[in-house]
């Protein structure tokens, strides 16, 4: 089955209404007659047609899809989590204002009562994102602010990731292992010799691009030279570490791998290094605009803005735009000359990233509408776009965890570049910096957790500010470390404050100021409350006791028991406060936090767990909890900012 036929099936799977042939032809970049040929190919050899047609268009016979030879029933949502993601997909990616409940039952092959039960569970699973689902007149609606829908989209995409296509170890499965090993040794050696820092993600991303570039050059497909000619290197660019590194890499690839690297490939390699370094240097986008043409860069920005409005994911960040715009420009040139390029990852990407495939097809559709593409786009090209999107999502997840910083430092005698590398080698992936020479050059509309500057007059709202010397002394680095610690503490406190109601409830709170209890009796009482309140099922208690028997969850002053697996109906924490204390293994504990963990929100739950651990281990909060008698007092103690801010920095 050809790539375009599979794309046709994918499109029809995503719609429950007939799709006109002209619309399908436009989406796939083919003629209406070709769509007829594809449908005939799909239906050939079947007792009943899989793709049916009428005056309204084409649609899939889903009963035939279930029993047909090409598709198994397992491809349809089978679990609650898969069904919830399917419903979210319909709302967010198809921009549905409401969904017919009976149509959903048919699409998911479930009963009406099971769908209603799933919707109730979804309201529990996604409550912490402030998203609500409700039914009215047999139609399902989703309610939430746009920023919360963006967080929901991010959550779904993160949960759907199953394979790490960006990992260096995985590249050997798709590219010649000797190339991968040689390029990795070269990259690490060149960066080490030049004092250039790459974090784990940047190294993996750059390695992927290097492997693809070498594979393309080996097949005799160098980058084409535009009519206007390639950009000339200025004296300042020649001194730029990225161009110096690119020159060394070019020499290695030509001498060791016996592949000729054109001048255009060399320039793009320099841009890849700049955009994949830990810190995006000032002037990168300006240089890119000069190289590609400012009008084209603006055109791509507009396309990304349209995609963001439609799919609620941000694709306008400069590190991504720098590499992605380069790729799209090369794709347009290949499309114009009808040159083909092979992507060895395409089959796995199509299976693992169906949502990203939708987004990639939407980007191609926008490009075609703007006259940037002259011919149909192959499945290989679509999968390359998916790969870029996949890498950007990974970068965003890492950036969300890191501190977002701005470095304001005039680049006299390359001092800014040296400062960037010093900060990178000290703080690694904790800090993501944008460097500018003056505050007015900072990206507009961007908020920063931390601003590092030599200028005392710079004002910072809502974040930390660190003043440093131009030479970045050891004392300056310590000041940055202290500021980073304060940023982390503020984040932890904000997260706990915002999400406290979703994890702690008065009905799951117990105080015992009299008789001393045993470990087993406390676990039974808290488990019973959670089961009674519908948070867990009857197997939860047995699983918690099994985990406790294997390894004690007691610490000095507190215990955090939990089940062997993560199968709770919702994330919640039952709390037991004991003035007398409970003997928990070799420790006497006064606070017990029984954790019920749902697999649907495990990633988010880990953030709360880290904050709770810091509070209990590094502050005096336990001492205050010992005399706590009410849930209101418990909440006041847990959310008191004095504890997190009291930790020495």
């Amino acid at each position: 089955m050809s790539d375009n036929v599979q794309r046709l099936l994918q499109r029809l799977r995503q719609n429950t209404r007939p799709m006109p042939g002209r619309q399908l032809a436009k989406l796939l970049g083919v003629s209406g007659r070709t769509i007829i040929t594809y449908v005939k190919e799909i239906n050939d050899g079947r007792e009943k047609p899989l793709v049916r047609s009428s005056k309204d268009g084409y649609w899939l016979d889903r009963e035939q899809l279930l029993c047909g030879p090409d598709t198994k029933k397992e491809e349809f949502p089978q679990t609650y989590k898969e069904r919830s993601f399917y419903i979210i997909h319909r709302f967010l990616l198809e921009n549905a204002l409401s969904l017919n409940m009976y149509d959903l039952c048919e699409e998911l092959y479930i009963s009406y009562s099971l769908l209603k039960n799933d919707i109730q569970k979804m309201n529990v699973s996604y409550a912490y994102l402030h998203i609500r689902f409700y039914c009215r007149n047999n139609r399902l609606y989703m309610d939430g602010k746009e920023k919360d829908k963006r967080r929901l989209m991010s959550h779904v995409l993160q949960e759907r990731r199953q394979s790490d296509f960006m990992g260096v170890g995985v590249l050997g499965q798709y590219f010649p292992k000797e190339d991968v090993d040689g390029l990795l040794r070269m990259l690490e050696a060149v960066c080490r010799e030049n004092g250039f820092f790459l974090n784990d993600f940047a190294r993996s991303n750059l390695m992927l691009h290097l492997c693809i570039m070498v594979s393309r050059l080996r097949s005799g497909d160098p980058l084409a030279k535009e009519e206007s000619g390639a950009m000339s290197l200025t004296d300042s660019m020649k001194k730029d570490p990225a161009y110096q590194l690119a020159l060394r890499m070019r020499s290695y690839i030509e001498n060791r791998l016996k592949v000729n690297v054109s001048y255009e490939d060399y320039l793009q390699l320099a841009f890849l290094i700049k955009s994949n370094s830990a810190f995006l240097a000032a002037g990168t986008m300006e240089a890119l605009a000069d190289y590609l043409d400012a009008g084209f860069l603006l055109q791509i920005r507009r396309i990304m803005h349209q995609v963001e409005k439609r799919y609620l994911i941000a694709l306008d960040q400069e590190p991504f735009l720098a590499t992605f715009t380069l790729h799209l420009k090369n794709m347009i040139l290949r499309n114009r000359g009808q040159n083909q390029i092979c992507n060895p990852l395409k089959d796995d990407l199509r299976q693992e990233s169906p949502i990203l495939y939708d987004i990639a097809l939407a980007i191609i559709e926008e490009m075609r509408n703007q006259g940037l593409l002259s011919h149909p786009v192959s499945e290989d090209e679509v999968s390359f776009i998916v790969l870029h999107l996949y890498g950007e999502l990974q970068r965003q997840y890492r950036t969300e965890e890191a501190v977002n910083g701005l470095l304001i430092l005039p680049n006299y005698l390359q001092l800014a570049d040296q400062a960037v590398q010093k900060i990178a080698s000290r703080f690694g992936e904790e800090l993501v910096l944008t460097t500018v020479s003056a505050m007015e050059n900072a990206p507009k509309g961007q908020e920063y957790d931390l601003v590092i500057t030599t200028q005392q007059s710079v004002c910072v709202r809502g974040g930390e500010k660190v003043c440093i010397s131009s030479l970045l002394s050891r004392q300056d680095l310590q000041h940055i470390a202290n500021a980073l610690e304060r940023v982390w503490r503020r984040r932890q406190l904000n997260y706990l404050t915002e999400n406290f109601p979703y994890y702690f409830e008065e009905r799951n709170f117990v105080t015992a100021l009299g008789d001393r209890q045993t470990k087993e009796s406390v676990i039974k009482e808290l488990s019973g409350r959670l089961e009674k309140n519908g948070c867990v099922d009857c197997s939860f208690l047995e699983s918690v006791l099994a985990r406790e028997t294997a390894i004690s969850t007691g610490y000095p002053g507190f215990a955090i028991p939990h089940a062997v697996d993560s199968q709770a109906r919702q994330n919640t924490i039952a709390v037991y406060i004991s003035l007398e204390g409970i003997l928990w293994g070799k420790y006497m504990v006064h606070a017990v936090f029984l954790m019920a963990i749902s697999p649907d929100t495990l990633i988010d739950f880990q953030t709360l767990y880290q904050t709770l651990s810091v509070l209990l281990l590094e502050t005096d909060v336990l001492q205050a909890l010992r005399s706590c008698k009410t849930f209101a007092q418990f909440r006041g103690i847990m959310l008191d900012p004095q504890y997190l801010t009291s930790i020495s920095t």
Side-chain angles (χ1 to χ4, degrees):
M1 187 178 294
S2 68
D3 294 335
N4 269 351
V5 171
Q6 293 187 39
R7 288 169 58 191
L8 172 63
L9 282 172
Q10 183 182 14
R11 276 292 176 182
L12 293 176
R13 281 194 185 98
Q14 295 163 1
N15 288 271
T16 57
R17 302 288 186 271
M19 294 188 69
R22 283 181 297 178
Q23 181 182 357
L24 288 169
K26 185 178 179 181
L27 288 172
L28 271 64
V30 297
S31 66
R33 185 174 297 276
T34 302
I35 294 295
I36 296 174
T37 302
Y38 289 163
V39 171
K40 184 176 184 303
E41 178 183 338
I42 293 170
N43 290 333
D44 275 352
R46 291 180 177 270
E47 185 177 344
K48 295 181 180 179
L50 174 60
V51 177
R52 295 183 178 272
S53 62
S54 68
K55 62 181 180 62
D56 297 319
Y58 297 94
W59 76 94
L60 276 183
D61 185 333
R62 295 183 180 272
E63 290 187 7
Q64 294 301 312
L65 190 64
L66 277 177
C67 59
D70 297 317
T71 307
K72 298 180 181 178
K73 184 175 181 179
E74 285 73 13
E75 289 186 9
F76 284 85
Q78 298 294 305
T79 65
Y80 154 70
K81 184 175 181 178
E82 292 173 352
R83 292 193 296 270
S84 71
F85 283 1
Y86 177 88
I87 293 171
I88 292 169
H89 183 285
R90 293 289 309 277
F91 275 115
L92 295 184
L93 272 73
E94 298 179 18
N95 298 313
L97 298 177
S98 66
L99 300 173
N100 184 289
M101 297 280 285
Y102 293 107
D103 286 349
L104 275 178
C105 291
E106 290 184 9
E107 294 165 24
L108 296 169
Y109 296 92
I110 59 175
S111 66
Y112 191 87
S113 60
L114 180 55
L115 177 59
K116 293 276 286 187
N117 185 56
D118 281 350
I119 293 168
Q120 291 178 356
K121 292 172 70 175
M122 288 170 67
N123 279 323
V124 173
S125 296
Y126 306 115
Y128 77 105
L129 293 174
H130 310 292
I131 296 292
R132 186 172 72 93
F133 299 87
Y134 64 93
C135 303
R136 184 176 296 164
N137 298 326
N138 294 317
R139 297 197 70 84
L140 178 64
Y141 297 84
M142 182 176 74
D143 183 47
K145 297 179 180 178
E146 181 173 332
K147 68 173 184 178
D148 298 320
K149 291 179 181 179
R150 288 176 180 271
R151 292 174 63 201
L152 177 62
M153 184 65 169
S154 177
H155 168 80
V156 170
L157 286 171
Q158 190 171 3
E159 289 284 339
R160 288 293 296 266
R161 291 183 304 150
Q162 299 177 23
S163 300
D164 181 13
F165 296 105
M166 309 298 290
V168 172
V170 178
L171 295 179
Q173 302 174 19
Y174 299 96
F175 300 95
K177 194 172 186 305
E178 57 273 18
D179 284 357
V180 176
D181 292 342
L183 288 169
L184 181 59
R185 286 194 300 270
M186 175 270 296
L187 183 59
E188 292 179 341
V190 169
C191 289
R192 184 172 58 251
E193 292 166 3
N194 292 269
F196 198 85
F197 176 80
L198 291 173
N199 61 31
D200 290 342
F201 168 75
R203 184 174 64 252
S204 297
N205 195 31
L206 191 52
M207 275 293 299
L208 176 63
H209 282 89
L210 285 170
C211 289
I212 292 172
M213 184 184 77
V214 170
S215 177
R216 173 172 53 79
L217 292 174
R218 278 219 171 102
S219 65
D221 184 24
L223 293 180
K225 188 173 182 178
E226 287 280 30
E227 290 80 0
S228 58
M231 179 178 66
S232 299
L233 292 182
T234 63
D235 290 339
S236 62
M237 292 170 69
K238 292 177 182 178
K239 296 177 182 178
D240 189 316
Y243 288 92
Q244 294 176 4
L245 261 66
L247 190 60
R248 290 176 178 269
M249 292 181 184
R250 179 188 189 185
S251 175
Y252 175 91
I253 293 171
E254 289 186 336
N255 295 331
R256 300 289 184 89
L257 301 184
K258 307 303 180 185
V259 175
N260 183 53
V261 180
S262 68
Y263 181 70
E264 289 73 23
D265 278 299
Y266 157 66
L267 288 178
Q268 295 213 5
L269 181 55
F271 278 117
L272 286 172
I273 293 170
K274 291 172 74 71
S275 57
N276 279 288
S277 63
F279 311 100
L280 187 65
T284 298
M285 297 307 293
E286 289 80 358
L288 185 63
D290 290 339
Y291 175 53
L292 292 175
D293 176 62
F296 177 73
L297 186 57
L298 180 61
Q299 204 170 10
I300 298 303
R301 284 186 183 274
R302 288 172 177 166
I303 291 175
M304 295 302 100
H305 180 65
Q306 291 298 319
V307 173
E308 178 180 353
K309 286 174 58 178
R310 179 174 175 182
Y311 293 99
L312 301 179
I313 62 171
L315 296 174
D316 60 350
Q317 298 299 302
E318 291 190 347
F320 171 68
L321 277 176
T323 55
F324 191 54
T325 305
L326 285 171
H327 173 77
L328 292 183
K329 186 67 172 181
N330 296 334
M331 186 186 81
I332 291 170
L333 293 174
R334 288 193 295 270
N335 184 263
R336 188 181 301 165
Q338 292 187 275
N339 298 323
Q340 294 295 319
I341 182 172
C342 177
N343 185 350
L345 289 76
K346 68 175 181 180
D347 292 333
D348 290 336
L349 283 167
R350 182 173 53 234
Q351 295 172 12
E352 300 285 354
S353 308
I355 296 178
L356 295 186
Y357 251 80
D358 280 354
I359 300 174
L361 291 171
I363 291 172
I364 290 173
E365 184 178 353
E366 287 290 336
M367 293 177 68
R368 185 176 289 112
N369 291 339
Q370 296 199 25
L372 295 175
L373 296 172
S374 309
H375 303 283
V377 175
S378 69
E379 181 78 2
D380 293 273
E381 294 286 12
V382 176
S383 60
F384 273 121
I385 293 179
V386 172
L387 203 52
H388 278 270
L389 297 174
Y390 184 94
E392 170 59 6
L393 289 177
Q394 280 200 323
R395 189 196 65 80
Q396 288 184 15
Y397 298 144
R398 288 172 180 260
T399 302
E400 286 175 7
E401 295 297 320
V403 172
N404 183 25
L406 178 68
L407 174 64
I408 306 174
L409 184 63
N411 197 20
Y412 301 127
L413 302 175
Q414 303 294 318
L415 288 178
D417 294 329
Q418 295 173 24
V420 162
Q421 293 307 314
K422 278 187 182 180
I423 294 172
S425 61
R426 171 70 183 273
F427 301 107
E429 300 185 24
E430 290 183 67
L431 179 61
V432 175
L433 273 184
T434 299
T435 61
V436 296
S437 58
M439 187 67 185
E440 55 267 24
N441 296 331
K444 300 297 184 288
Q446 180 72 56
E447 295 182 0
Y448 297 97
D449 301 313
L450 175 64
V451 174
I452 305 169
T453 178
T454 55
Q455 305 170 18
Q456 293 283 350
S457 59
V458 170
C459 296
V460 179
R461 291 186 298 176
E464 292 284 333
K465 172 185 170 182
V466 178
C467 288
I468 61 172
S469 64
S470 297
L471 297 178
L472 194 65
S473 66
R474 182 177 300 178
Q475 187 177 23
D476 292 331
L477 290 172
Q478 186 57 50
H479 290 328
I480 295 173
N482 293 342
L484 281 171
E485 187 69 18
R486 291 192 294 272
V487 171
W488 285 116
R489 297 307 179 204
R490 187 182 300 117
R491 280 190 180 184
Q492 289 175 320
L493 182 61
N494 290 341
Y495 186 86
L496 183 60
T497 302
E498 292 174 3
N499 294 281
F500 187 90
Y502 300 108
Y503 294 106
F504 298 99
E505 298 181 75
E506 188 168 6
R507 61 180 183 168
N508 295 327
F509 178 79
V510 181
T511 58
L513 304 179
D515 297 338
R516 179 171 293 177
Q517 300 292 319
T518 65
K519 175 175 66 174
E520 289 75 14
S521 65
V522 170
I523 291 176
K524 288 179 181 178
E525 179 168 358
L526 292 180
S527 297
R529 281 183 176 251
L530 292 177
E531 183 180 349
K532 178 183 177 181
N533 294 327
C535 303
V536 300
D537 58 29
C538 58
S539 64
F540 181 73
L541 172 60
E542 183 180 352
S543 184
V544 174
L545 291 174
R547 172 65 178 80
E548 197 63 40
T549 300
I551 302 176
S552 175
T553 58
Y555 299 88
F558 68 95
I560 309 183
H562 51 274
V564 173
D565 50 15
S566 304
Q567 294 300 328
R569 293 171 183 162
Q570 71 178 86
N571 277 342
T572 192
I573 303 175
V575 180
Y576 192 102
I577 304 296
S578 172
L579 177 62
E580 295 295 324
I582 308 158
L583 185 61
W584 207 283
K586 61 180 180 179
Y587 298 112
M588 183 64 67
V589 306
H590 296 273
V592 179
F593 298 83
L594 176 58
M595 296 192 167
I597 307 171
S598 165
D600 304 309
T601 51
L602 178 60
I603 294 173
D604 305 277
F605 186 81
Q606 291 169 349
T607 303
L608 180 91
Y609 182 85
Q610 292 168 1
T611 304
L612 187 61
S613 299
V614 170
L615 273 173
L616 297 174
L617 290 170
E618 301 182 34
T619 75
D620 296 327
V621 73
L622 268 176
Q623 188 63 33
L625 288 177
R626 289 182 62 173
S627 57
C628 174
K629 297 180 181 179
T630 67
F631 183 73
Q633 291 176 338
F634 171 75
R635 180 174 55 231
I637 293 170
M638 294 293 290
L639 300 183
D640 191 332
Q642 68 167 313
Y643 294 110
L644 276 176
T645 56
S646 69
I647 300 174
S648 173
T649 59

